[in-house]
Amino acid sequence: MTVWSVLIVDDSTAIRKVISELFRREGDFEVCGEAENGQDAIEKAQRLKPALIVTDLSMPVMNGLEETRILKKLMPKVPVILYSAYVDKIVEKEALAAGASAAVPKFDAVSLLVARSRQVLSERAA
């Protein structure tokens, strides 16, 4: 079975812990690291080489859209999922234009985040 490494990015420690725990409970994911903003995420992603990055949109220092644009230049094959409380059609369009593979609203069931992660990674592997 393939085990995918995930970098979790959110400025809220509590939310990072919940998302990390969610992925750790799944047999096919391992959390390789956590970051508190986009700049931190870029540094850690280059060092940790995750298979997937799950990032918040609204963060201090560097937001998720800026982070995604830079990551797609540095690591074009690594999918980025924007996981945010602020996902609507406009944000989703901006996220995809920035290079994100998907935008998942935080108000949806967290199981959707895992399902979407598997889908994005499976499409990459195909």
Side-chain angles (χ1 to χ4, degrees):
M1 176 172 77
T2 302
V3 176
W4 290 302
S5 58
V6 186
L7 175 64
I8 307 296
V9 188
D10 199 295
D11 57 320
S12 164
T13 304
I15 290 174
R16 277 197 318 271
K17 297 297 175 210
V18 167
I19 297 170
S20 292
E21 185 58 33
L22 171 75
F23 278 102
R24 282 189 185 104
R25 287 185 188 158
E26 302 296 320
D28 53 346
F29 288 100
E30 67 176 15
V31 176
C32 64
E34 296 180 7
E36 61 187 3
N37 61 58
Q39 187 175 326
D40 188 27
I42 290 163
E43 292 165 12
K44 287 183 177 169
Q46 290 179 90
R47 191 173 75 245
L48 300 171
K49 309 269 190 272
L52 173 70
I53 299 166
V54 174
T55 187
D56 190 16
L57 170 64
S58 181
M59 299 178 287
V61 184
M62 182 185 294
N63 72 37
L65 290 174
E66 292 174 71
E67 168 201 347
T68 301
R69 284 187 199 100
I70 293 168
L71 283 168
K72 292 319 284 183
K73 287 184 179 123
L74 297 171
M75 308 170 81
K77 293 192 181 329
V78 178
V80 177
I81 294 180
L82 198 75
Y83 185 58
S84 175
Y86 308 105
V87 174
D88 60 19
K89 289 291 178 204
I90 295 165
V91 170
E92 186 173 13
K93 190 175 176 182
E94 282 184 47
L96 296 175
S101 298
V104 177
K106 281 183 180 173
F107 52 80
D108 281 357
V110 288
S111 59
L112 179 67
L113 177 61
V114 172
R116 200 71 179 94
S117 297
R118 283 192 183 106
Q119 180 185 358
V120 164
L121 287 162
S122 296
E123 288 168 1
R124 266 311 139 125

